Amino acid sequence: MNMYDLIVKKKRGGALAKDEIDWMIREYTDGRIPDYQMSAMMMAVCFVGMTDEETKDLTLAMAHSGDVLDLSAIHGIKVDKHSTGGVGDKTSLVLAPLVASLGVPVAKMSGRGLGHTGGTIDKLESFTGFHTDLTPEQFIRNVNTIHIAIAGQTANLAPADKKLYALRDVTGTVDQMSLIASSIMSKKLASGADGIVLDVKTGDGAFMKSLEDARALAREMVSIGKLAGKDVSAVISDMDQPLGFAVGNALEVKEAVSTLKGHGPKDLEELVLVLGSLMTVKAGRAGSMEEAERLLKEALDTGRAFEVFKSFIKAQGGDPEEAEHPERLPSAAYQETVCAETDGFVRDIRTEEIGRICLFLGGGRETKESSIDLSVGLVLCRKKGDKVKKGDPLAVIHASDPEKLSEAKKRLLAAYEFTDRKPPVSPLIKEIIY
Ligand code: URA
């Protein structure tokens, strides 16, 4: 077998056989297929697509590219959650400790920023010393003691996804259904949880722009999970505007901390409660979604979820004092408010562009070798449907470079669209697929 032939086969519309996919993933993981050949394959998949069979084979090959965690040493039903990626999507930072605070074992595997979307690991690294390269023993110990651990892909856990993820991020090959499904589900299968809740985003800020595509992705992932014997559900949620107000790594951590203290944005809290209720029911900790929601709200109100968050940061090497004092988290040198130039109601916020502005400010990677600036980003002051008068603040831009700041201001103004009449705002939760 050779990679050149497989690339050409895919380019001409062929379906790769299981032994070809297994070979390709093994050789790439071991460094015997170079990035340039794999980039060509990823681009061919973007144009030609993959069958359901190929997607399933790719997922399993990636899941088994390293160890598959055996979590049998953790008591109870272990749950995990994953988002297909959005702008301002800091859900996991709130959700994971919240669900863990009910005693539910949360064994989560997360990723870094991808394309115009942010990643949980980058965000968490805003805490000094925080790390996600846990050994299986540490991962299991943390879940057994504080009910929560979040790991990143390592040389041992889903290493094929670690390499492919970084490659797709910088080669324009993220927004393809089979590549997203295999990337997410390989991580979920490798990290060994029994119950999995997927947050499938749809809208301008998502990789799946239409509800139809989001539904197809959700069904594909649920079906792969069920084939592997997992209890999987998917929530399809709106990404036609950023979630909450903050976009950017440390800025999102600050908003997540406020949410854990009970002062979060309504949309973020609503999403967290729906996903959290599903996880809590899957774990058998509540008999119904209503009971689960009541327990989760109580854990937020009493501050129990925030206490678990601090223990989690500490257990993974971070400084929990930075959660008590979020002003100590990275903060940008320049902060400037951008004001509306017209009266009206916000009709649209070009959400992918908001994510791209954050990347441009330094909040994401341009090449695999780029380092990111955790301090930069935007905090929106107005969301869809809000009334605005000329001169009202639309957003505050956080930048480390004055030239980028002035370009970001122009781009932000162009990303907002206004109308004379209050527009309808679409619901946050579109569907749940079981
Ligand atoms: N999240 C992932 O882990 N992988 C993708 O491809 C997209 C979102």
Side-chain angles (χ1 to χ4, degrees):
M1 241 177 260
N2 76 70
M3 189 61 176
Y4 177 88
D5 290 343
L6 297 189
I7 295 167
V8 172
K9 180 174 182 185
K10 181 45 75 186
K11 183 182 77 169
R12 293 189 178 148
L16 302 178
K18 178 170 168 23
D19 62 336
E20 292 173 329
I21 291 177
D22 287 347
W23 176 85
M24 175 177 83
I25 291 303
R26 196 175 49 245
E27 295 296 295
Y28 181 60
T29 307
D30 292 347
R32 287 186 292 272
I33 292 176
D35 275 350
Y36 55 82
Q37 282 191 314
M38 192 50 109
S39 306
M41 174 60 86
M42 293 292 106
M43 192 56 86
V45 171
C46 285
F47 284 112
V48 173
M50 279 187 146
T51 62
D52 288 352
E53 191 69 17
E54 284 177 288
T55 310
K56 180 187 65 112
D57 290 341
L58 180 61
T59 308
L60 295 179
M62 287 165 68
H64 292 98
S65 60
D67 298 338
V68 172
L69 278 184
D70 172 6
L71 300 186
S72 55
I74 300 175
H75 326 292
I77 300 170
K78 282 72 71 181
V79 292
D80 191 354
K81 167 266 175 188
H82 208 87
S83 158
T84 57
V87 177
D89 183 12
K90 68 281 294 172
T91 310
S92 294
L93 303 182
V94 183
L95 177 69
L98 174 59
V99 172
S101 74
L102 300 186
V104 171
V106 178
K108 177 156 171 50
M109 195 185 226
S110 287
R112 296 191 177 275
L114 190 63
H116 65 278
T117 69
T120 300
I121 296 184
D122 291 334
K123 290 170 201 179
L124 283 168
E125 285 178 355
S126 301
F127 288 99
T128 312
F130 186 90
H131 68 95
T132 52
D133 53 340
L134 304 174
T135 63
E137 294 71 32
Q138 286 167 325
F139 188 82
I140 289 169
R141 189 179 341 109
N142 289 3
V143 182
N144 264 336
T145 50
I146 57 168
H147 309 298
I148 174 173
I150 298 187
Q153 303 105 304
T154 60
N156 293 329
L157 277 187
D161 183 55
K162 184 181 166 85
K163 288 187 80 177
L164 279 172
Y165 194 90
L167 188 69
R168 288 168 57 223
D169 184 31
V170 294
T171 52
T173 53
V174 172
D175 55 349
Q176 204 286 329
M177 200 174 301
S178 297
L179 298 183
I180 297 176
S182 54
S183 162
I184 292 180
M185 292 312 292
S186 64
K187 282 193 279 281
K188 301 298 97 176
L189 300 185
S191 53
D194 312 298
I196 299 162
V197 175
L198 302 166
D199 178 13
V200 179
K201 306 284 190 192
T202 179
D204 184 66
F207 296 120
M208 297 294 110
K209 306 287 181 204
S210 72
L211 181 56
E212 219 185 331
D213 284 349
R215 202 180 277 136
L217 174 61
R219 289 196 176 133
E220 178 93 59
M221 291 194 290
V222 169
S223 122
I224 293 173
K226 285 189 175 158
L227 267 177
K230 305 290 178 182
D231 176 9
V232 193
S233 316
V235 172
I236 302 186
S237 72
D238 184 72
M239 189 29 72
D240 244 339
Q241 60 177 334
L243 188 67
F245 297 99
V247 179
N249 296 291
L251 293 168
E252 292 188 38
V253 171
K254 291 173 192 173
E255 189 164 73
V257 165
S258 303
T259 309
L260 283 161
K261 288 179 170 170
H263 316 297
K266 268 173 52 193
D267 56 351
L268 174 60
E269 191 174 309
E270 181 186 343
L271 183 61
V272 163
L273 290 175
V274 171
L275 297 168
S277 299
L278 280 166
M279 290 165 82
T280 305
V281 170
K282 280 190 194 305
R285 176 71 180 80
S288 67
M289 290 288 280
E290 294 71 25
E291 188 197 351
E293 183 169 330
R294 187 179 50 72
L295 293 172
L296 292 166
K297 278 187 173 153
E298 204 177 280
L300 269 183
D301 292 346
T302 56
R304 217 164 60 230
F306 182 55
E307 289 307 312
V308 172
F309 180 71
K310 286 188 294 180
S311 308
F312 153 66
I313 296 298
K314 185 162 180 233
Q316 296 198 204
D319 178 0
E321 279 303 300
E322 291 172 352
E324 282 291 354
H325 303 279
E327 69 284 358
R328 295 187 192 163
L329 289 164
S331 127
Y334 302 92
Q335 296 169 18
E336 207 166 306
T337 305
V338 182
C339 295
E341 294 182 337
T342 175
D343 294 348
F345 292 90
V346 179
R347 188 184 64 198
D348 263 315
I349 303 174
R350 290 172 49 216
T351 311
E352 179 171 344
E353 173 63 359
I354 298 290
R356 295 210 172 277
I357 297 171
C358 182
L359 286 189
F360 167 75
L361 289 167
R365 296 173 184 80
E366 279 178 18
T367 68
K368 287 202 312 176
E369 291 71 33
S370 310
S371 58
I372 60 176
D373 185 339
L374 294 165
S375 70
V376 299
L378 313 91
V379 180
L380 306 187
C381 308
R382 293 290 188 279
K383 303 247 327 227
K384 274 168 83 170
D386 285 350
K387 192 169 182 188
V388 176
K389 281 204 172 341
K390 188 173 170 182
D392 281 352
L394 287 180
V396 180
I397 299 188
H398 295 242
S400 299
D401 170 337
E403 273 174 32
K404 287 194 171 173
L405 173 65
S406 93
E407 174 69 18
K409 276 164 66 181
K410 282 190 222 136
R411 287 176 62 173
L412 181 99
L413 274 173
Y416 269 80
E417 290 174 20
F418 299 93
T419 178
D420 293 343
R421 287 212 211 116
K422 189 168 171 65
V425 176
S426 51
L428 178 67
I429 307 296
K430 314 274 186 202
E431 280 174 30
I432 302 183
I433 292 177
Y434 294 96

